[in-house]
Amino acid sequence: MSLATKTVAESAAVPADDPRRAWAAVLALARFEARDLLRYIPVLVTLVLYVGYTAWRLFHQQDGMDAFPALQNADRDTQDGPLLLGIALFVCVNRCTLRSRRRGTDRQFDVLLMEPWRRTVAHVLSVVPFAVVTALVVLAEFTRAALRAGAVGHGSPAELAVGPLYVLLCGALGVLLARLVPTTFAAPVGVIGLFVFGVFLSAGTDGGEWARWLPPVVGETSMNTVLPSDLVGRPAAWHALYLTGLILLLTLGAVLVSGGRTLSLKAGAAGALALTLAGAVGQSAGVSPELTAAREQASVSPQRDQSCVRHGGSTYCAFPEWTGRAGDWAGVVDRVQSLAGGTAARQPLLVRQRVEARYGLDGDSALEPLTTPHQVTVGTRWGGNRVPEFAVAVAYVLVTGDESKGGELCDGRVVTTMWLALGGASHPMTDLANVRLDDSVTGSASVLAPTSGFYMTAGQTYVVRELLRRPQGEATAAVQRHWAELTRPGVSTAQVARVLGTEVPKGERDCAQE
């Protein structure tokens, strides 16, 4: 008899009429099986990768948009990490459950006092330590995001529970498969089958809400959309209930297949089925009329849900979760406006936070520009490229008067706009690349902004680069001194270059001149 078999036999050799000692033996067997799972390379490698990579991210300095997390998105970000660990556990728990069959020790187990169904319970419980580790990693990951100075919003405990529940679900499914199909080839085939089933759910059911929420982890098409917490609309609590019921159903199903026939087990299986169905029905209800109306209002009339504060001469209106970010926006506005001339240097602006919420988290539609003079749009994401893009929006409102004219900006005023947006930045050339669609600093390219951007010719790019190379004070004085001429509609890039003392490559023509 092998050492493993001997250990299990000693743990299981207890009187069957002593429930306390019987369950103590089940827990002892579960501890043994949990330690044994760590001997499997797939489990060990995926666990180390998951914990190690998450720990590296926790202690690594996060820059750009990662430094300004929205917690209603950060909770969902914790769900992808355990995916490989769950698959590894599914295969290896299945193999552990079939160990006695592979080694021909079923006959020895048959003479033990521990019933086969209790051994099945022990195999399911062996996955619990891995679910606990997953829960701790998820909690650490979310807590780190919540403690960032730039964090906004609110997370969902039900969304955070998905990772640990997924791990438990994979373990229970592996045990059930071992009891139904007692061969080691079933687990690899099962992985492929589950993948095909997931593809079918996403592609073969016309995107129905009932099918979309059947997989354990449900992502969103767009990773860029950040909505206020009360507009997210994901049935996270129902989904967590569905996963909990499914775990219990698979576990009790495996127990029943293993010979457990007590009335309490059958009643538990019926209750688990009811719990699973209740969660499945609840999560498939779709978007309520009330949420649809709230999303419509936030998209069309955001001022009804917002509060406004003043910084300097401008006003900043934001959804409740973002009111603390007005100071960051004001810093960009003050920097851009300090380089402007004429009345633009003192022009009060209204910065309004806007979001397209009518299509939910899957929507990634561009915002329509505001037509009211001196109003600037800012989005719900911040940091990274969003900062220079907002600076561009502020600059072309100061140059043209309102956002709706940004798309028409194709003459020499592009140079003035880009100088305002980038001239006071810490790393202007980097920001120039970040706001251009092709991440270049030479040639022609489209410039990005929170609403409509504009096109920048190669000649305009050249003039802007020459301005950025000059001392900031010198370039600022020239722009402010000739402000009226530089912001006149129809002014050519060649005229702007001559006024500012730079050259334009020959043959360049503005789109307004074509």
Side-chain angles (χ1 to χ4, degrees):
M1 182 181 292
S2 67
L3 178 61
T5 305
K6 183 178 179 181
T7 303
V8 174
E10 291 175 350
S11 301
V14 296
D17 56 352
D18 189 344
R20 182 177 301 178
R21 293 185 63 188
W23 283 109
V26 169
L27 293 177
L29 179 58
R31 288 195 296 270
F32 170 81
E33 294 294 348
R35 290 194 299 269
D36 190 62
L37 279 172
L38 286 174
R39 295 174 51 247
Y40 287 85
I41 293 178
V43 172
L44 182 61
V45 169
T46 53
L47 181 63
V48 169
L49 286 177
Y50 173 47
V51 176
Y53 176 69
T54 305
W56 178 82
R57 291 184 62 226
L58 293 180
F59 294 102
H60 184 68
Q61 181 65 36
Q62 300 293 314
D63 299 320
M65 285 176 279
D66 291 336
F68 298 87
L71 300 184
Q72 57 267 40
N73 281 26
D75 54 10
R76 300 197 307 277
D77 292 341
T78 65
Q79 297 175 6
D80 293 335
L83 291 180
L84 289 178
L85 176 61
I87 294 173
L89 285 169
F90 168 71
V91 175
C92 295
V93 169
N94 178 271
R95 188 172 179 81
C96 286
T97 307
L98 294 173
R99 184 194 304 111
S100 61
R101 185 179 183 88
R102 295 196 322 272
R103 297 181 180 178
T105 57
D106 279 339
R107 287 174 296 177
Q108 284 87 341
F109 278 135
D110 288 341
V111 299
L112 297 180
L113 295 178
M114 178 182 282
E115 303 96 319
W117 68 265
R118 290 186 189 273
R119 294 200 295 272
T120 297
V121 173
H123 282 292
V124 176
L125 291 178
S126 69
V127 186
V128 172
F130 297 92
V132 172
V133 171
T134 302
L136 293 176
V137 173
V138 166
L139 184 61
E141 191 175 0
F142 182 78
T143 301
R144 182 69 180 92
L147 293 178
R148 293 194 181 280
V152 297
H154 303 87
S156 166
E159 296 280 13
L160 296 175
V162 168
L165 290 176
Y166 167 77
V167 170
L168 286 175
L169 180 65
C170 289
L173 185 59
V175 174
L176 176 61
L177 184 62
R179 295 309 187 203
L180 291 176
V181 187
T183 173
T184 55
F185 294 104
V189 174
V191 172
I192 298 174
L194 290 174
F195 174 77
V196 173
F197 180 66
V199 173
F200 169 76
L201 285 180
S202 60
T205 56
D206 297 327
E209 199 72 9
W210 68 270
R212 178 172 178 259
W213 283 93
L214 289 180
V217 178
V218 182
E220 304 293 340
T221 303
S222 173
M223 298 299 293
N224 297 320
T225 303
V226 179
L227 300 181
S229 299
D230 55 352
L231 300 182
V232 170
R234 282 171 59 93
W238 285 112
H239 189 61
L241 180 66
Y242 161 73
L243 291 180
T244 302
L246 194 56
I247 292 167
L248 294 174
L249 182 61
L250 295 177
T251 300
L252 292 172
V255 170
L256 291 174
V257 172
S258 301
R261 293 291 187 272
T262 64
L263 182 61
S264 59
L265 288 176
K266 294 178 181 179
L273 177 60
L275 202 66
T276 304
L277 292 176
V281 172
Q283 70 186 8
S284 63
V287 180
S288 66
E290 295 78 13
L291 180 58
T292 300
R295 286 177 171 179
E296 177 79 19
Q297 178 172 298
S299 303
V300 178
S301 304
Q303 64 273 13
R304 298 182 182 180
D305 301 319
Q306 294 179 342
S307 57
C308 301
V309 296
R310 288 185 64 85
H311 283 272
S314 297
T315 304
Y316 301 84
C317 300
F319 293 104
E321 294 171 315
W322 281 271
T323 52
R325 192 160 289 169
D328 295 325
W329 302 334
V332 175
V333 171
D334 293 343
R335 169 171 63 82
V336 173
Q337 205 160 18
S338 68
L339 304 180
T343 58
R346 302 178 301 277
Q347 176 62 52
L349 300 176
L350 174 61
V351 176
R352 183 172 301 283
Q353 189 177 44
R354 298 172 61 207
V355 64
E356 178 51 80
R358 287 172 288 188
Y359 309 104
L361 291 170
D362 286 332
D364 199 14
S365 303
L367 296 170
E368 292 294 326
L370 296 168
T371 57
T372 307
H374 311 306
Q375 288 196 15
V376 186
T377 294
V378 66
T380 51
R381 303 188 77 195
W382 190 248
N385 296 5
R386 300 293 89 85
V387 177
E389 288 173 12
F390 175 62
V392 169
V394 174
Y396 72 60
V397 167
L398 291 176
V399 170
T400 65
D402 67 74
E403 282 188 345
S404 62
K405 298 178 181 178
E408 305 171 2
L409 197 65
C410 59
D411 50 28
R413 291 177 294 172
V414 169
V415 174
T416 308
T417 299
M418 295 303 291
W419 160 252
L420 293 183
L422 306 174
S426 302
H427 305 284
M429 295 302 291
T430 300
D431 286 354
L432 175 61
N434 289 341
V435 298
R436 288 160 62 97
L437 191 58
D438 60 355
D439 296 327
S440 69
V441 294
T442 58
S444 59
S446 296
V447 178
L448 302 173
T451 57
S452 59
F454 49 84
Y455 186 74
M456 191 175 184
T457 66
Q460 292 162 351
T461 303
Y462 175 82
V463 176
V464 170
R465 290 179 59 195
E466 289 300 306
L467 284 175
L468 294 177
R469 290 193 179 101
R470 293 165 62 179
Q472 180 181 333
E474 177 185 329
T476 301
V479 170
Q480 292 177 341
R481 186 166 53 252
H482 301 284
W483 180 258
E485 184 176 359
L486 296 175
T487 58
R488 176 176 54 83
V491 63
S492 68
T493 301
Q495 291 172 315
V496 170
R498 283 193 295 271
V499 168
L500 298 178
T502 63
E503 297 180 0
V504 178
K506 296 180 179 180
E508 285 292 334
R509 294 176 59 86
D510 299 334
C511 59
Q513 299 173 321
E514 296 177 353

